[in-house]
Amino acid sequence: MSTKHVNHLANEKSPYLLQHAHNPIDWYPWGEEAFAKAKAEDKPIFFSCGYSTCHWCHVMERESFEDEEVAEVLNRYFVSIKVDREERPDVDHIYMEVCQALTQSGGWPLTIIMTPDKKPFFAGTYFPKASKWGRPGLMDLLDAVQQRWRENRDELIEHSNEIYALLKHEYKPSTDVQLSSELLDIAFQQLEAGFDAKYGGFSGAPKFPTPHNMLFLLRYWRHNGNPKALAMVEKTLTAMRQGGIYDHLGYGFSRYSTDNEWLVPHFEKMLYDNALLCHAYLEAYQCTGNQDFAQVAGEILDYVMRDMTSSEGGFYSAEDADSEGVEGKFYVFTRQQVLDILGEKDGTLVADFYGITSQGNFEHGTSILNFIDRNVEAYAHKIGIDVAELTKLFASCRSKLYAEREKRIHPYKDDKILTAWNALMIAAFAKAARVLNVAVYAEFAERALEFIQSRLVRKDGRLLARYREGEAKHLAYLDDYAFLLWALVELYETVYSPTYIKWALEVSDELKRLFLDDINGGFYFYGSDGEQLLTRPKEIYDGAIPAGNSVAALALLRLANITGNNELQKMAEAVLKAFGGQVKKYPKAYTFYLVALDYQLSARRKIVIAGSNDSEDAWNMIFAVWQNFLPDTEIVFNDRTKADLVEKILPAVSNQQPLDGKATAYICENFACQPPITDVGKLLSALVIE
């Protein structure tokens, strides 16, 4: 990358924008300066949006944005704007919707050409410099647009106004949609119809993990007893863990698989994927007792603690797919490399089990570690070695390979800290602390939450979206608030500090004040105090990341159950109702919404444990309940060592006291409470847990 050029991105904090700060293109960040320049110079805007670990963004930069010829055209005829989609998801959301509407596809880099008043008239994704692979070249595209801008501008303006009119069309909720378990049944049937019985997952290649599909299916199994729902989750999670999408040496999952069998990943690792997958593996472990699932969840968190945690306690965003300009280079091995590192005997055992062949399963004779269609037990039997001995040998060999891999040039790490993604990981750490009974996970969760509180909350209480190198910036979006609410509920039910409920109630108030649509229901994506863009969208589609509306609905329902606050209940129900008509058209696309709906339709239960934080019997009760998959149950701790706080923040439970000096459980379900219980066995029996 040349450093002789310095453009208007040089003072930004976004790693993605800084990657382009020395392009010969005179890039501007999204802002009034760029739009004022476009109006003053009567030029269209060339808008490019991506993120720092995006492989095809790197390709387009190398081919076009570092090219002097491309820069000369863009600088002469356009005003060029670069946007980091992870910092400005509001801007990305609007223009990605345009791209999908015009081209029937989307992705990054997102390429938009628009008028100086932000109205788009052209959309696409990656373009090579010159036409190839049936794709138009960027140079041809720019030449055609600048010529039409000079000679036939009225047509472009008219087209942009038509697109703007489509964007402005506001979704009106259906008033006659009945939210019932029928929606859950239809979603299950759709997932079952698309299920890959051989390798798991719910689509063909490329295959995305979509963890909320699993979260929904586990609840469907729990409430309906359908064994196929559980079997699909087990198959998918097992196949992913065996495949190359999982990093068998350093842990963590890549973003997606390019094939059906989860072998060849797109190697970038995203914080949000790993947070959500941790939830899925933890819940699958609760449902099945399969220790492999518990192990994977723990390994994901080991990876995050080791590689993705800042010294201040926040979590980094992502790791790139590329190193030294080559996708996957950091992760792959040749068979000879494995033999050289481990020796002939151990190296052969490891290479054979992990699919490392002389021909390779990736590029240039290299192999991605995997054990698709293999397992340690069968392999140990085949070669006549004790399973425990082989497991120990493999662990030792993986450590040696990992140590050798660490000497390589690492992929680029995007070290910005995003509130929304951090909240997802906080929720995962909190849940893992309960399910796996590992105290350090709760410590990491609390430390990250303290980071958000101290670095990403303005003095007036307004949450911000991104922190990097001492700078907190961008008003937080719906996802930031909704995911933080989820994290606070999860962390409360792990450490039982009432102050987390206090903060959660404050977050729910801000959700209502800044984001709620009082007329049509649901939450807008950006706040009423944010930059007013072409439109103010609402999102319910649960894509790679679940929609803020879906997560908010579930978190509000859980908080309502914990606190007894009926206003929160009504707000959540209104969100679900607002999008019911849209969800009904294709329920499979809204599985986190359906997780919230499942909770709403269930016989929600609250268990109040009355006792003292320093008493073993209270924690024995809590630990016993934690081990079970009870997705419609919340545990509230009336901790007598914090009686004043509990009475102030959770007054509804302060009257439920320990009996005869013993920790006591009060189970309330379907608007009725059972007699108090002081015995762990009787508590589990009352919950119908064997």
Side-chain angles (χ1 to χ4, degrees), residues 231-366:
M232 288 193 289
V233 174
E234 290 182 279
K235 179 67 178 179
T236 300
L237 294 180
T238 299
M240 285 174 53
R241 188 257 187 279
Q242 292 174 336
I245 192 173
Y246 189 66
D247 180 356
H248 295 273
L249 302 183
Y251 311 140
F253 284 91
S254 296
R255 196 161 76 91
Y256 64 87
S257 172
T258 62
D259 54 54
N260 282 328
E261 55 185 349
W262 307 104
L263 173 60
V264 179
H266 184 46
F267 288 89
E268 64 188 306
K269 291 181 182 177
M270 312 301 292
L271 187 70
Y272 62 79
D273 280 322
N274 283 285
L276 293 164
L277 281 165
C278 185
H279 277 280
Y281 277 94
L282 288 168
E283 292 191 352
Y285 167 61
Q286 286 182 303
C287 293
T288 65
N290 185 333
Q291 288 294 331
D292 286 347
F293 295 155
Q295 181 181 334
V296 174
E299 288 175 352
I300 289 171
L301 299 183
D302 287 346
Y303 157 66
V304 173
M305 290 188 291
R306 184 192 66 229
D307 292 347
M308 299 298 285
T309 305
S310 75
S311 59
E312 299 162 293
F315 302 121
Y316 299 136
S317 293
E319 289 191 300
D320 207 333
D322 301 7
S323 57
E324 301 179 75
V326 179
E327 184 175 11
K329 183 175 182 179
F330 178 75
Y331 295 100
V332 295
F333 288 83
T334 65
R335 187 176 180 92
Q336 190 58 51
Q337 286 173 329
V338 171
L339 298 180
D340 290 344
I341 296 165
L342 301 178
E344 189 75 25
K345 181 182 176 184
D346 291 352
T348 299
L349 289 175
V350 168
D352 287 349
F353 181 74
Y354 283 100
I356 304 167
T357 65
S358 300
Q359 299 79 22
N361 57 33
F362 190 52
E363 298 169 351
H364 312 300
T366 61

Side-chain angles (χ1 to χ4, degrees), residues 163-184:
I163 294 170
Y164 177 60
L166 286 173
L167 281 175
K168 289 289 285 184
H169 176 72
E170 190 163 354
Y171 170 74
K172 294 289 192 292
S174 302
T175 56
D176 58 347
V177 173
Q178 295 298 313
L179 297 179
S180 70
S181 60
E182 182 185 3
L183 274 181
L184 310 181

Side-chain angles (χ1 to χ4, degrees), residues 136-189:
L138 184 61
M139 289 295 288
D140 292 340
L141 170 65
L142 295 176
D143 183 59
V145 170
Q146 66 88 9
Q147 189 172 338
R148 288 182 69 187
W149 183 258
R150 284 186 289 110
E151 298 174 2
N152 199 2
R153 184 180 309 184
D154 289 347
E155 187 178 306
L156 294 179
I157 298 293
E158 183 181 355
H159 187 43
S160 74
N161 286 330
E162 289 170 355
I163 294 170
Y164 177 60
L166 286 173
L167 281 175
K168 289 289 285 184
H169 176 72
E170 190 163 354
Y171 170 74
K172 294 289 192 292
S174 302
T175 56
D176 58 347
V177 173
Q178 295 298 313
L179 297 179
S180 70
S181 60
E182 182 185 3
L183 274 181
L184 310 181
D185 294 334
I186 295 170
F188 168 74
Q189 291 159 12

Side-chain angles (χ1 to χ4, degrees), residues 91-227:
V91 174
D92 174 70
H93 184 285
I94 289 169
Y95 292 105
M96 182 58 72
E97 187 178 343
V98 171
C99 183
Q100 290 169 335
L102 295 183
T103 70
Q104 307 307 306
S105 65
W108 297 274
L110 172 62
T111 303
I112 299 284
I113 304 178
M114 65 179 85
T115 65
D117 57 358
K118 307 176 187 176
K119 294 178 181 176
F121 56 80
F122 176 85
T125 54
Y126 161 79
F127 292 95
K129 179 186 175 184
S131 300
K132 61 179 179 180
W133 309 326
R135 283 181 174 269
L138 184 61
M139 289 295 288
D140 292 340
L141 170 65
L142 295 176
D143 183 59
V145 170
Q146 66 88 9
Q147 189 172 338
R148 288 182 69 187
W149 183 258
R150 284 186 289 110
E151 298 174 2
N152 199 2
R153 184 180 309 184
D154 289 347
E155 187 178 306
L156 294 179
I157 298 293
E158 183 181 355
H159 187 43
S160 74
N161 286 330
E162 289 170 355
I163 294 170
Y164 177 60
L166 286 173
L167 281 175
K168 289 289 285 184
H169 176 72
E170 190 163 354
Y171 170 74
K172 294 289 192 292
S174 302
T175 56
D176 58 347
V177 173
Q178 295 298 313
L179 297 179
S180 70
S181 60
E182 182 185 3
L183 274 181
L184 310 181
D185 294 334
I186 295 170
F188 168 74
Q189 291 159 12
Q190 290 173 341
L191 288 168
E192 185 180 27
F195 180 65
D196 180 343
K198 186 171 184 181
Y199 294 112
F202 303 92
S203 71
K207 254 184 187 172
F208 288 81
T210 321
H212 24 292
N213 286 348
M214 267 79 81
L215 303 184
F216 163 71
L217 286 169
L218 291 173
R219 283 155 180 77
Y220 191 82
W221 166 77
R222 178 75 173 79
H223 293 137
N224 294 276
N226 189 317

